[in-house]
Amino acid sequence: MNKEANEAMIAKRVDKIVSEARVLDIHTHLYAPAFGKLLLWGIDELLVYHYLLAEAFRYFKLPYDKFHAMSKAEQAELVWDELFVKRSPVSEACRGVITSLNRLGLEPRQKDLNLLRKWFAEQDTDEYVSRCMELAGVDSLCMTNSPFDDAERQVWDSGFDGDGRFVAALRIDPLLVSWPKTCEWLKENGYDVEPEINDKTAGEVRRFLGHWKDKMRAEYVMVSLPPDFEYPSSTACSKLIDAVVAPFCAEHGIPFALMIGVKRGVNKELKLAGDGVGWSKLEAVENLCGAYPEVKFMVTALSREVQHTLCVVGRKFRNLHIFGCWWFTNVPHLIEEITRMRLELLGTSFTAQHSDARVIDQIIYKWDHSRSLIAKVLADKYIDLARAGWEVSDEEIKRDVTALFGGEFKRFAGGH
Ligand code: HDL
Ligand code: ZN
């Protein structure tokens, strides 16, 4: 077979293997069906996703609070009109809605949303969740579980039959980024803490983490941090990492995930859609990984500009697992750029993507779009290998893709 034909064949093989690969989605905002209304799905939820609201508000003239006072169906109509009827849905979040509808067998160019609503209303929740996971090729996914969320805490306190496909992740942002306020909250919830982070307080906060880790059977602890996150520093965040989170994760052998670079509330009028990005220093990650070689750190960064630095830090510390193209980097040209950079600097020792889905139907598009990009980059790398004299087998491609789609995370988190 000549060189061109062989390389075309490699790309074809990679495409097939990647499209069929099973996924562990290691970060989402989805909930198991037992969480009831907390699990979001259907056309209105797809259209009022905060990614689309940010884009639609660029055309809206109405006051923010007037929009927020509307029903989800009314909001969805306005979003559909501005982003899908008046203009081509070329943005990643808009194209995502089209991909998901299309893969579900629905006509995306449906002018009448009520016909789509009628179809979604006829779906059985459990069956629909399974269908979305099957279409997305997602075997299991990690939720984002916050004991600070009243609605969610009620579900945990009332108890429910777990669904093995939905893995818990203990989210602790209020603890680390709003300590004085959270110290009060902990006191009101039965923990003998005080603002000074002394041994007694640290012990009580570790007890709080232990209670929720056990109740949720959480597989890792997660926090999102601002661009100016510094470690070590005199902040409560830094002191709580030292006194509470790092020793807790070391003791329980579970990873500590840091999502770095989010500027919360850049435009508070946009609510969930109002967060922005800042260039984040990564010395904090170097210092953490170096200070706690026994702790497993997972890190993703929000700004494009620091992705290369993050890869280099990953080369320095084997207790650092880099994951996903988070939020504003979850767009085709950056997924391709970041995945290529990571393969070239880290081999397959990272998790290529997570969906960050908030609406279960989204996992269909988020994984469809990412698979085709990851396949393209992987094919390039295998073709480079072939040109260097190394032909990969289908088994080896499957092994590598399994690693990138959750297998490497399992190895890293499991410690084996
Ligand atoms: O902090 C996070 O986990 C982020 O992913 C935010 O939830 C953000 O709103 C989001 O959904 N990004 O995709
Ligand atoms: Zn998220």
Side-chain angles (χ1 to χ4, degrees):
M1 190 186 306
N2 69 30
K3 182 166 164 286
E4 285 68 34
N6 184 45
E7 292 179 0
M9 183 51 79
I10 291 173
K12 216 163 141 48
R13 287 161 56 206
V14 172
D15 229 28
K16 182 174 184 305
I17 290 167
V18 170
S19 65
E20 292 168 356
R22 309 306 296 177
V23 161
L24 162 58
D25 193 343
I26 70 169
H27 173 58
T28 78
H29 296 270
L30 301 173
Y31 290 93
F35 284 80
K37 292 245 175 293
L38 289 176
L39 168 63
L40 305 179
W41 56 286
I43 186 62
D44 289 326
E45 294 295 352
L46 282 170
L47 290 173
V48 301
Y49 180 40
H50 70 75
Y51 287 33
L52 290 180
L53 295 191
E55 294 167 31
F57 262 104
R58 296 177 56 69
Y59 303 108
F60 290 159
K61 294 280 180 287
L62 84 168
Y64 292 102
D65 51 3
K66 194 162 181 323
F67 179 85
H68 294 314
M70 291 177 174
S71 69
K72 279 190 177 173
E74 289 166 333
Q75 293 176 350
E77 293 290 346
L78 292 182
V79 171
W80 182 256
D81 188 45
E82 292 293 355
L83 300 182
F84 295 80
V85 175
K86 288 183 185 170
R87 300 162 181 91
S88 299
V90 290
S91 78
E92 182 61 4
C94 284
R95 179 169 72 101
V97 174
I98 305 303
T99 300
S100 288
L101 291 177
N102 200 24
R103 289 285 314 281
L104 285 161
L106 298 166
E107 168 45 63
R109 296 199 71 120
Q110 174 56 259
K111 292 283 180 278
D112 180 356
L113 289 184
N114 284 323
L115 291 178
L116 288 174
R117 286 186 184 107
K118 186 170 171 300
W119 182 87
F120 281 102
E122 289 160 359
Q123 306 310 307
D124 165 79
T125 306
D126 289 322
E127 283 167 19
Y128 185 69
V129 166
S130 298
R131 183 155 180 231
C132 287
M133 292 183 81
E134 199 39 48
L135 284 170
V138 171
D139 281 342
S140 58
L141 56 89
C142 294
M143 303 182 279
T144 294
N145 302 104
S146 170
F148 302 99
D149 178 309
D150 295 342
E152 179 175 352
R153 204 173 50 253
Q154 267 168 28
V155 177
W156 289 107
D157 288 341
S158 54
F160 58 90
D161 290 337
D163 178 332
R165 301 170 299 173
F166 290 77
V167 174
L170 177 52
R171 188 67 180 258
I172 60 168
D173 290 34
L175 180 68
L176 294 187
V177 299
S178 320
W179 171 245
K181 200 165 142 233
T182 306
C183 178
E184 286 314 304
W185 183 91
L186 284 165
K187 245 189 263 181
E188 287 153 20
N189 283 273
Y191 292 89
D192 184 11
V193 292
E194 55 189 273
E196 193 209 336
I197 301 161
N198 53 35
D199 288 352
K200 178 174 67 65
T201 294
E204 280 292 88
V205 180
R206 284 198 303 272
R207 182 168 71 87
F208 165 75
L209 292 185
H211 170 75
W212 283 102
K213 175 203 169 286
D214 293 345
K215 185 182 266 294
M216 293 173 172
R217 286 195 221 142
E219 299 245 329
Y220 62 79
V221 175
M222 174 177 269
V223 67
S224 68
L225 294 167
D228 61 359
F229 166 59
E230 287 195 353
Y231 177 89
S233 74
S234 58
T235 62
C237 176
S238 181
K239 288 176 184 164
L240 285 163
I241 288 174
D242 281 335
V244 175
V245 185
F248 178 84
C249 290
E251 179 193 345
H252 294 276
I254 60 169
F256 178 24
L258 300 96
M259 306 173 85
I260 303 176
V262 53
K263 275 163 79 174
R264 295 293 178 188
V266 168
N267 178 354
K268 290 184 175 39
E269 300 267 24
L270 283 172
K271 295 186 179 217
L272 209 49
D275 298 329
V277 58
W279 185 90
S280 33
K281 296 186 197 174
L282 294 182
E283 284 85 349
V285 178
E286 291 172 348
N287 297 339
L288 273 171
C289 292
Y292 296 104
E294 75 287 4
V295 173
K296 294 174 256 189
F297 292 96
M298 296 160 58
V299 172
T300 195
L302 193 51
S303 63
R304 174 197 196 182
E305 292 72 14
V306 301
Q307 298 302 329
H308 182 260
T309 307
L310 181 58
C311 287
V312 175
V313 179
R315 291 170 61 88
K316 302 306 126 195
F317 296 101
R318 63 182 174 187
N319 60 325
L320 172 58
H321 182 80
I322 292 165
F323 72 97
C325 300
W326 183 29
W327 202 341
F328 306 116
T329 64
N330 196 355
V331 288
H333 77 290
L334 293 185
I335 294 168
E336 185 170 341
E337 176 183 282
I338 293 168
T339 305
R340 193 178 295 279
M341 189 189 289
R342 288 172 176 173
L343 284 170
E344 291 170 358
L345 283 165
L346 300 169
T348 55
S349 63
F350 65 97
T351 295
Q353 186 59 292
H354 65 274
S355 70
D356 232 320
R358 286 179 171 270
V359 184
I360 190 88
D361 332 43
Q362 292 174 337
I363 56 176
I364 299 169
Y365 89 79
K366 286 182 181 257
W367 282 103
D368 260 19
H369 294 185
S370 290
R371 284 177 195 266
S372 56
L373 294 155
I374 293 164
K376 181 178 166 202
V377 176
L378 260 180
D380 280 357
K381 300 326 293 177
Y382 290 132
I383 287 167
D384 287 346
L385 269 180
R387 290 176 182 169
W390 180 290
E391 286 278 348
V392 282
S393 69
D394 281 4
E395 277 54 45
E396 288 167 334
I397 297 170
K398 281 181 191 146
R399 172 203 59 197
D400 298 343
V401 173
T402 301
L404 293 172
F405 281 12
E408 176 58 15
F409 166 70
K410 283 180 191 160
R411 183 198 67 79
F412 177 80
H416 41 268

